[in-house]
Amino acid sequence: MKEKLNIAIRVDANSEIGGGHFRRCLTLAQEAQKRGHSIKFISAQLPGKERLLLKKNKLFYDIISEKNQNENITSKKTPNKFSHDKWLKLSILEDAKITSKSLDKFNPNWIIFDHYSLDIEWVNTVKKKHIDPYYLAIDDLDNRNLGSDFLLDQTSIIKKERIYKVPGSLVGPKFALISNKFDCYRNKSIQKRSDSKSFILKNKNFFILISLGLYDKKKLLPILVDTLSKMKNSNIIVATSSECQTLSNLKKLCQKYKNFSLHLDTKNMAELMLKADVCIGASGMSMWERCCMGIPSLTITVAKNQQKVTKQVTNLNISKQLSVSVLKNKTKLLKTISDFIYSPKKLQQLSENSYKICDGKGTDKVVNFLEANLKKVEIKDSSKLLSWRNKKFIRANSLNKQKINTKSHERWMEKTQNFKRGIWLIYSEGGKEIGYCSSIYVNKEIVYWSFYIGEPKFSPGSGIRMLVFFLKKLFFEIGISKIEANVTIENCKSQKLHKDLGFSLNSSNGHFQKYSLTKDFFKKRYYSNI
């Protein structure tokens, strides 16, 4: 029977922070709640609309005290090019202490934080009272030590070495936290755009969706509407919130232009995207919604932290960039939009490139991960383990490359039931068993480990996530002080995996390499605030 989880989420929203962090956390919470898990939101800044959404969805939330709001931030973070300290209502330590107190009776299995102002100092303060939960950071900046066990970075398209290490991660748009509604409309949208004729928009009515998020701090929406509504055959759709800073101007424009429709706090964004031929959107969470739907789009960067991903999607021809300087020049804006919508081949290529990068199932994958479990190997698992172990790709990377016969396997299975000799576990995500890991005692404090993923086409990165859960179990639950491993010379993937986790290469011969990792080094590498 699947364990019911208590999941705590620390997130804020306002006109400065935007609504994207809250929206993606809400999407994650709704899916987890649907599966029977309990959710608690903790916020210092949360507008009324967002609070109402939580109430409507029967999600618990706690607004932490606003006292000491003028207290200076006492964080010792390394300075970085993004300054988000002002996003915190309290000092980082006060925030952590009040958050920790809010969680006392909730007893979370997971503590998730989606906030550019929070880091290892916050995590380690919360950990003083809540050491057992796993910590997941939702972040894409790589500008500070997070101190979390896992990282969800849904915006990184190009793989590169992180500056600030996190043990396990879920990386890329395939983990984007977008509503299942987009997945429901995805095939219809892709089919609509699969024929190049659907993109021949000249001399016929076409729909432009404009979606810059919940707010319009830069006051761009009225400029776009006033300019584009004058285009021949154009129909302009704007989706924003009732708290948008330029709402009064938009309402006036709605009366002025018959081809302009305004949608506030919409619940049917997927339907609006399906209706639209092209989209002008911000480089935030909605970008992955557009990709899922395969809608050709012009992307506007409305925040500094979005610059990198906007550049990447432009270089990969997933979306085209629309600069704020061009947007504010009506002549240039009209030319840019015209060149864009009247280029059917370019639009089709953008559509194909975008829907290939985001499948709309990211939220399911992330909740599957939150449901991850390591269970003790039982005799009833015998046939599954034998099937996995004898797969060609597993034997190719094993020290023993021969097929295991049934009798040998049965003798080995009997050994797995003796906990005094070692630990044998099966790993699952979302209730699906996908891998195996084990450790044999060298002595009371040192083990030799081995592992494999038996379902290779499962969620990307599941192998290293399995090992992070196993490492934490060995080091912090069982009290192991050192882990050793032998890796075959030809198994480059496993060699890299061990190095990424912080293992040291101790020796090498013609057959295999010897690695080791101590508990002290693992703690210092990922959880030290030095």
Side-chain angles (χ1 to χ4, degrees):
M1 187 174 177
K2 187 167 65 177
E3 179 188 4
K4 300 303 179 185
L5 302 172
N6 292 336
I7 302 170
I9 301 175
R10 173 69 183 91
V11 66
D12 283 340
N14 60 28
S15 58
E16 176 70 24
I17 296 169
H21 299 268
F22 172 79
R23 278 181 58 209
R24 62 191 183 191
C25 287
L26 177 62
T27 298
L28 177 63
Q30 287 171 323
E31 178 58 30
Q33 183 188 50
K34 195 187 301 181
R35 300 195 196 183
H37 305 303
S38 297
I39 316 296
K40 183 174 185 177
F41 277 75
I42 299 170
S43 302
Q45 303 172 82
L46 201 63
K49 290 286 182 183
E50 281 73 12
R51 298 187 194 193
L52 188 60
L53 271 173
L54 294 178
K55 287 180 180 177
K56 283 183 177 180
N57 284 278
K58 297 182 179 179
L59 291 164
F60 298 112
Y61 70 90
D62 192 3
I63 305 300
I64 60 178
S65 172
E66 296 182 355
K67 68 178 181 178
N68 301 325
Q69 59 180 298
N70 295 317
E71 182 180 336
N72 292 326
I73 304 296
T74 57
S75 170
K76 300 176 182 178
K77 296 190 289 292
T78 303
N80 57 73
K81 63 180 178 178
F82 301 111
S83 180
H84 297 98
D85 290 347
K86 60 185 178 181
W87 282 13
L88 277 184
K89 196 80 170 174
L90 310 171
S91 76
I92 196 167
L93 292 177
E94 194 71 15
D95 191 299
K97 289 175 183 176
I98 299 174
T99 297
S100 179
K101 186 176 181 180
S102 174
L103 294 174
D104 282 347
K105 294 181 180 179
F106 188 62
N107 297 320
N109 302 96
W110 281 97
I111 296 176
I112 300 172
F113 59 102
D114 187 349
H115 205 301
Y116 290 153
S117 296
L118 303 181
D119 64 5
I120 190 170
E121 186 176 4
W122 183 89
V123 170
N124 285 345
T125 303
V126 176
K127 269 187 177 179
K128 289 177 181 178
K129 290 181 72 176
H130 303 281
I131 195 169
D132 292 331
Y134 294 107
Y135 286 74
L136 170 66
I138 303 178
D139 198 89
D140 54 7
L141 296 185
D142 193 17
N143 66 342
R144 65 205 187 283
N145 191 342
L146 294 168
S148 59
D149 303 305
F150 298 94
L151 167 71
L152 170 56
D153 177 3
Q154 55 206 321
T155 67
S156 288
I157 302 172
I158 300 171
K159 289 184 179 181
K160 69 172 188 176
E161 195 78 16
R162 280 185 59 84
I163 298 170
Y164 296 91
K165 307 292 185 184
V166 176
S169 58
L170 302 92
V171 178
K174 289 187 177 180
F175 292 104
L177 297 174
I178 61 179
S179 169
N180 288 335
K181 290 180 181 178
F182 291 92
D183 186 34
C184 294
Y185 285 92
R186 171 179 164 85
N187 290 336
K188 286 183 181 179
S189 182
I190 292 172
Q191 185 62 42
K192 172 184 174 180
R193 307 170 207 287
S194 63
D195 186 351
S196 62
K197 291 179 182 179
S198 66
F199 286 125
I200 301 174
L201 304 177
K202 203 163 189 174
N203 300 319
K204 74 172 187 177
N205 288 335
F206 57 86
F207 291 84
I208 301 176
L209 172 63
I210 303 174
S211 173
L212 302 185
L214 302 181
Y215 304 98
D216 187 20
K217 185 181 177 183
K218 294 183 181 290
K219 301 182 178 179
L220 304 177
L221 287 176
I223 299 172
L224 284 164
V225 172
D226 193 42
T227 304
L228 301 184
S229 292
K230 295 171 183 175
M231 290 182 68
K232 185 181 178 182
N233 301 323
S234 68
N235 294 276
I236 310 302
I237 306 167
V238 168
T240 187
S241 77
S242 53
E243 296 175 345
C244 174
Q245 293 94 326
T246 54
L247 184 58
S248 59
N249 287 343
L250 291 172
K251 287 181 176 179
K252 289 176 184 177
L253 290 170
C254 205
Q255 294 176 342
K256 181 178 179 180
Y257 298 113
K258 292 182 179 180
N259 61 339
F260 165 44
S261 61
L262 179 61
H263 298 259
L264 300 177
D265 307 315
T266 183
K267 296 180 181 179
N268 65 338
M269 183 62 77
E271 291 180 50
L272 294 181
M273 287 187 182
L274 179 63
K275 184 178 182 179
D277 295 294
V278 296
C279 181
I280 299 173
S283 182
M285 203 55 227
S286 62
M287 183 165 68
W288 307 123
E289 296 170 353
R290 302 194 298 272
C291 284
C292 172
M293 297 288 283
I295 181 172
S297 62
L298 289 166
T299 300
I300 301 172
T301 301
V302 295
K304 280 185 178 181
N305 60 285
Q306 297 173 353
Q307 291 173 349
K308 181 182 75 172
V309 70
T310 301
K311 185 178 180 180
Q312 288 179 350
V313 294
T314 300
N315 291 341
L316 294 170
N317 202 31
I318 294 166
S319 175
K320 294 298 181 186
Q321 184 171 8
L322 178 60
S323 68
V324 174
S325 61
V326 168
L327 191 152
K328 291 185 176 181
N329 183 311
K330 290 189 177 182
T331 303
K332 288 184 178 179
L333 177 60
L334 276 173
K335 185 180 186 309
T336 300
I337 300 296
S338 296
D339 290 345
F340 183 70
I341 65 177
Y342 296 146
S343 303
K345 289 185 179 179
K346 289 182 180 179
L347 293 181
Q348 176 140 22
Q349 191 60 61
L350 285 170
S351 177
E352 291 178 6
N353 292 346
S354 62
Y355 73 67
K356 287 177 182 176
I357 201 167
C358 181
D359 60 10
K361 300 183 185 299
T363 305
D364 286 332
K365 292 175 189 147
V366 175
V367 178
N368 286 344
F369 155 70
L370 296 177
E371 294 177 344
N373 182 50
L374 284 169
K375 70 143 196 165
K376 187 179 182 299
V377 167
E378 301 176 49
I379 295 297
K380 66 180 181 179
D381 302 312
S382 181
S383 59
K384 179 188 288 289
L385 288 171
L386 181 60
S387 172
W388 280 351
R389 177 59 181 79
N390 280 335
K391 286 184 176 180
K392 189 175 181 179
F393 73 92
I394 291 178
R395 287 189 289 113
N397 293 315
S398 300
L399 295 175
N400 177 9
K401 302 185 186 306
Q402 301 300 313
K403 273 193 172 184
I404 307 297
N405 62 52
T406 303
K407 286 186 178 180
S408 297
H409 178 69
E410 288 175 351
R411 288 196 295 270
W412 174 81
M413 281 297 299
E414 290 178 9
K415 292 179 183 178
T416 66
Q417 304 307 295
N418 185 350
F419 188 74
K420 292 181 180 180
R421 297 192 59 182
I423 303 164
W424 294 267
L425 304 170
I426 289 178
Y427 178 69
S428 64
E429 285 189 7
K432 182 176 175 59
E433 295 178 343
I434 59 172
Y436 157 86
C437 52
S438 68
S439 61
I440 306 298
Y441 287 105
V442 176
N443 56 46
K444 289 183 179 180
E445 294 187 350
I446 300 175
V447 296
Y448 162 82
W449 81 350
S450 62
F451 53 85
Y452 55 74
I453 290 291
E455 304 294 335
K457 293 183 180 180
F458 199 68
S459 180
S462 54
I464 198 163
R465 295 195 294 272
M466 172 180 75
L467 294 183
V468 173
F469 284 114
F470 196 29
L471 280 167
K472 287 183 68 68
K473 185 177 185 68
L474 291 173
F475 284 149
F476 303 120
E477 289 183 33
I478 299 173
I480 298 300
S481 62
K482 184 179 180 181
I483 300 170
E484 297 178 343
N486 290 337
V487 183
T488 59
I489 291 294
E490 63 270 21
N491 194 350
C492 298
K493 188 174 180 180
S494 183
Q495 291 167 23
K496 182 181 184 306
L497 186 150
H498 279 86
K499 290 173 184 175
D500 287 346
L501 286 171
F503 278 76
S504 298
L505 175 61
N506 298 326
S507 63
S508 179
N509 58 34
H511 302 289
F512 57 85
Q513 297 178 340
K514 285 183 172 290
Y515 290 88
S516 66
L517 175 67
T518 65
K519 176 181 179 179
D520 289 341
F521 184 78
F522 182 71
K523 285 175 66 177
K524 183 178 179 181
R525 179 178 173 87
Y526 296 113
Y527 305 111
S528 173
N529 196 19
I530 299 173

